[in-house]
Amino acid sequence: MATHFITGAAFGGALASAAIYRPDVIIEQMSFQNWQMVTTFLTASGTSTLLVNIFQRLGYLDACPRSFSTINLFGPLDGNIIGGCMLGAGMAVSGACPGTVYAQIGSGIHSGLYTLGGAILGGVIWTGFLRPALLRRQKKTKGTGVKSDSLTLDKLIGTSQLTALVAVETLFAGLVAAIVHLASPTSSGLVGPVTGGVLIAGAQLFSILTRKCLLGTSTSLEEVGDYFWWAMRRGEKPKSYSSIALTAGMTAGALAVSLASPPAPLAPEMTIEPIRAVLGGILLAVGSRMGGGCTSGHGISGMSFLSVSSFVTVAAMFVGGAGVAAILG
């Protein structure tokens, strides 16, 4: 488990250095007032996509694209869409995501504790009630029969992987260049938004080299839920706690950066009321598990495989987050 913890420490340290864990950065991104988060996010995703494809071509990384999350309501991607909207709503409410909440705790953001508490509660609700109910529904409807050859963008649109890769990288690079030119986003962290994205991709590289798998954090909430129900004698003992180890490392990495770096003048911390943070945490957990991943699992890792489900989930996440941010004002 040491490699999972160390990988998490690298990831948490990168998030803390880029300062995209701050609630104000996340909420202001959802209301399109601050473009720091998206700049870092797109840089990390674009760089990670290059790394993943290089190591796949070298035969070092053997991993599959993200499958569709289907709950059989209105289509094969309904779980990605509904879950993504819930995830984005949770981000707008709590000012966190399933990954940055650990960096918040390590960096001393008080609302992060309440958000994590809500997320753990959401994980318990998901594993104990919602996941079994959806599995029963899938058995009754016999699924949707999504073909594995339609999981990636190149297969979906009928082009070569290289063509799709170049198109995605061009899109990411163009968006980052446009945002930097038009919005000039800045960071209150140790590094700027673009450099912060490169650091996060560096954590992805470390994960590939040491674990031969990619970053993802929301599975930890499902693992905690599974352990809870096992302790309550309602299930078998979980077989893994690797994601819990990863997120523990993220907290430690963010703590190390906050202790080692000199204090910088920051804007006053945005106040997130405890009940709001808890509610947001529940939405983060349920949404990310229903959607099959979170901002790191889909946004940084899933899109690196050109996974259709990841692009759909991330788009739904911003739609849900922007909608809730507009309502909350």
Side-chain angles (χ1 to χ4, degrees):
M1 287 297 162
T3 55
H4 300 293
F5 184 89
I6 296 171
T7 299
F11 189 23
L15 291 174
S17 297
I20 60 168
Y21 63 87
R22 290 173 56 86
D24 56 311
V25 172
I26 295 172
I27 291 175
E28 288 175 3
Q29 178 60 74
M30 289 304 177
S31 59
F32 305 108
Q33 301 176 50
N34 183 338
W35 292 87
Q36 176 190 348
M37 174 185 149
V38 162
T39 304
T40 301
F41 177 81
L42 289 172
T43 303
S45 297
T47 309
S48 176
T49 300
L50 283 176
L51 292 171
V52 167
N53 278 271
I54 289 172
F55 281 96
Q56 279 186 315
R57 292 175 184 275
L58 291 174
Y60 186 84
L61 180 64
D62 182 19
C64 298
R66 294 264 172 167
S67 59
F68 291 5
S69 181
T70 306
I71 58 178
N72 296 309
L73 288 178
F74 56 81
L77 288 161
D78 52 0
N80 297 104
I81 295 170
I82 296 173
C85 286
M86 291 179 66
L87 172 59
M91 293 172 67
V93 170
S94 67
C97 75
T100 60
V101 65
Y102 298 101
Q104 288 182 356
I105 293 172
S107 301
I109 301 293
H110 300 299
S111 63
L113 292 170
Y114 295 103
T115 302
L116 180 59
I120 290 174
L121 176 58
V124 170
I125 293 171
W126 170 257
T127 54
F129 303 102
L130 296 178
R131 185 179 66 185
L134 291 174
L135 288 175
R136 288 194 297 269
R137 178 181 175 82
Q138 286 181 343
K139 289 180 180 180
K140 289 181 180 179
T141 57
K142 297 182 180 180
T144 57
V146 178
K147 296 181 179 180
S148 60
D149 60 359
S150 63
L151 297 181
T152 58
L153 290 178
D154 54 304
K155 299 298 183 181
L156 182 67
I157 62 180
T159 187
S160 68
Q161 184 185 39
L162 180 59
T163 300
L165 173 64
V166 171
V168 168
E169 290 293 347
T170 301
L171 175 63
F172 285 168
L175 287 173
V176 170
I179 293 170
V180 170
H181 176 70
L182 297 174
S184 301
T186 59
S187 169
S188 59
L190 299 178
V191 298
V194 174
T195 305
V198 174
L199 287 180
I200 292 171
Q204 183 78 284
L205 174 60
F206 188 84
S207 181
I208 293 172
L209 293 175
T210 60
R211 305 191 304 156
K212 292 190 175 182
C213 64
L214 304 189
L215 297 170
T217 59
S218 65
T219 306
S220 64
L221 303 172
E222 190 162 354
E223 289 179 350
V224 169
D226 285 333
Y227 271 103
F228 173 83
W229 292 114
W230 168 69
M232 297 295 291
R233 302 183 184 278
R234 278 192 50 186
E236 298 180 356
K237 183 177 181 180
K239 298 179 181 179
S240 174
Y241 56 92
S242 58
S243 291
I244 295 176
L246 177 81
T247 51
M250 290 177 66
T251 304
L255 174 62
V257 169
S258 67
L259 292 176
S261 60
L266 298 174
E269 181 181 325
M270 176 179 284
T271 301
I272 305 294
E273 296 298 329
I275 186 65
R276 175 174 171 173
V278 170
L279 175 60
I282 294 173
L283 289 171
L284 292 177
V286 175
S288 61
R289 297 324 302 150
M290 182 179 293
C294 59
T295 45
S296 55
H298 271 308
I300 298 174
S301 297
M303 291 201 298
S304 297
F305 288 119
L306 306 180
S307 302
V308 173
S309 62
S310 295
F311 283 90
V312 170
T313 304
V314 170
M317 177 189 78
F318 278 103
V319 170
V324 170
I327 294 172
L328 295 176

